[in-house]
Amino acid sequence: MSVLGAPLCVPASLSARVPAEQRGPGLGRDSVRLLVSHGTEVTHHAFAELPALLRAGDLLVVNTSRTLPAAVDGRHGHARVVVHFSTRGGDGRWAVELRDPDGKGTTRARAGGPAGSVVRLPGGVRLVYEEQVAVESRRLWWVRVSGDVPGLLRQHGRPIRYSYTERDQPLSAYQTVFALPSADGAGSAEMPSAGRPFTASMVAELVSRGVQFAPVVLHTGVASQEAHEPPYPELFEVPETSARLINAARAAGGRVVAVGTTAVRAVESAAGPDGVVRAAAGRTDLVVTPKRGVRVVDGLLTGLHEPEASHLLMLEAVAGRAAIERGYTEAVRRLYLWHEFGDVHLLLPDEAPH
């Protein structure tokens, strides 16, 4: 992303290194800042002020996917490696990313493959490389796994951690208040982090003010480590009840605000060209861009993304490029924190009179 013709640089010092509740006594998950963009108008708030920024009849679309302990140590030949399990395919294979341990508790990028190579995992489990997930990148590969992956993750896995974080965190730190277990053990390789600041008391307050919630599921894979790498097909579900809630809210003039880019991808995958949401489940390869636009979502609550991330195209589709550029310029200037433990950005339509 560029701002006024110059690239936007996010200083490393703005990476959130620990969860909000660990930054000082008396702090909770909701102790993060909230940047609000009404079109190109920007205001600054505490996240606790969110209920006052929404109104009765608004609806929040939330992702109930649980975060998996998706990182597992292994051996590739004589080399120590870390496998990030990303997405289960319809044919039983898994999309994985192989990483090199960096000696600091985190990992470095490593090319996967070649086809036929084997990685040994705990408990005698083996995975065999078959083919790249996408020809544009050697990062993600489809593999066959000899054992039960959900069981392997439960017994030997840990949450995926990136180098900007300060230390390992328990899996509970990566679960949102909306997370629900799935019968088949499916979940997200990385936390649907826009929902992380919500607490049970915040949800209760919003409901008491007439804000509704529509649960959806999108099991997200590992985040792109390469600029402009598009999302790949991911499992999603929009239940019939949620589809009805969304359609009713829109018909009554309420705003549909997605909590996270994953919620946008799920609900927009279930929306027809007429803007009506219908129950849907399966795999979505939808990439929301400004050209495609959004059919249902009026607003978005999201974390702060790297300037090169493909997610920014989705943000631009929801709010317009000018709003994103203005918001991100202000976020850097006011020292907002980035990444999954960082601050959040609420994008709402410009409703000022013209």
Side-chain angles (χ1 to χ4, degrees), residues 10-351:
V10 180
S13 60
L14 296 186
S15 294
R17 303 193 182 281
V18 296
E21 60 271 23
Q22 297 177 18
R23 294 181 199 142
L27 298 181
R29 281 178 172 240
D30 55 354
S31 301
V32 297
R33 298 166 71 191
L34 176 63
L35 177 75
V36 179
S37 294
H38 277 279
T40 56
E41 295 298 315
V42 175
T43 55
H44 305 276
H45 305 266
F47 184 75
E49 297 175 63
L50 178 65
L53 296 165
L54 299 175
R55 57 195 184 215
D58 287 345
L59 180 141
L60 295 176
V61 182
V62 296
N63 186 1
T64 62
S65 178
R66 284 183 65 85
T67 307
L68 299 174
V72 180
D73 294 323
R75 290 271 180 178
H76 187 245
H78 295 293
R80 291 179 58 241
V81 295
V82 178
V83 178
H84 288 178
F85 283 87
S86 182
T87 300
R88 180 162 50 192
D91 57 1
R93 298 188 298 177
W94 279 80
V96 304
E97 180 183 18
L98 203 64
R99 310 276 295 184
D100 283 323
D102 63 2
K104 303 173 185 177
T106 54
T107 58
R108 295 184 296 262
R110 172 191 178 119
S117 59
V118 176
V119 175
R120 303 188 309 278
L121 299 173
V125 175
R126 292 156 61 91
L127 64 80
V128 180
Y129 277 80
E130 292 197 345
E131 61 181 333
Q132 294 170 218
V133 170
V135 295
E136 302 88 3
S137 169
R138 292 198 62 200
R139 183 176 71 92
L140 289 165
W141 281 70
W142 288 115
V143 302
R144 293 278 178 191
V145 186
S146 66
D148 169 49
V149 173
L152 173 74
L153 300 185
R154 283 194 302 272
Q155 193 166 1
H156 299 286
R158 61 184 180 276
I160 289 174
R161 177 189 159 202
Y162 289 116
S163 58
Y164 50 77
T165 56
E166 185 175 292
R167 55 182 175 267
D168 287 343
Q169 298 289 340
L171 184 59
S172 59
Y174 291 89
Q175 303 294 8
T176 73
V177 72
F178 306 112
L180 296 172
S182 59
D184 62 356
S188 290
E190 295 182 0
M191 172 176 52
S193 56
R196 190 184 192 280
F198 285 87
T199 62
S201 60
M202 165 76 77
V203 172
E205 181 179 356
L206 285 162
V207 171
S208 73
R209 288 172 173 256
V211 175
Q212 294 183 297
F213 288 82
V216 300
V217 175
L218 188 133
H219 296 313
T220 184
V222 294
S224 169
Q225 300 300 299
E226 300 173 14
H228 306 300
E229 185 176 318
Y232 46 88
E234 292 170 320
L235 287 166
F236 84 104
E237 180 182 5
V238 176
E240 176 67 33
T241 302
S242 293
R244 291 179 180 176
L245 283 169
I246 294 165
N247 293 331
R250 297 187 74 217
R255 297 173 297 185
V256 175
V257 178
V259 177
T261 57
T262 59
V264 176
R265 199 175 187 210
V267 74
E268 291 289 329
S269 296
D274 56 359
V276 175
V277 178
R278 297 170 178 86
R283 295 179 189 276
T284 178
D285 58 2
L286 175 66
V287 179
V288 178
T289 65
K291 181 178 179 180
R292 189 267 187 189
V294 287
R295 297 169 176 171
V296 177
V297 172
D298 301 302
L300 173 61
L301 179 72
T302 181
L304 293 163
H305 301 279
E306 292 291 353
E308 299 84 7
S310 58
H311 288 309
L312 287 183
L313 292 175
M314 180 187 291
L315 272 60
E316 187 178 336
V318 173
R321 185 171 183 84
I324 305 306
E325 290 188 345
R326 175 70 191 281
Y328 270 55
T329 301
E330 282 292 294
V332 171
R333 188 177 72 85
R334 298 287 289 264
L335 305 181
Y336 278 71
L337 296 179
W338 254 251
H339 302 303
E340 66 268 30
F341 297 137
D343 298 316
V344 284
H345 187 189
L346 177 61
L347 299 157
L348 292 173
D350 182 3
E351 297 174 336

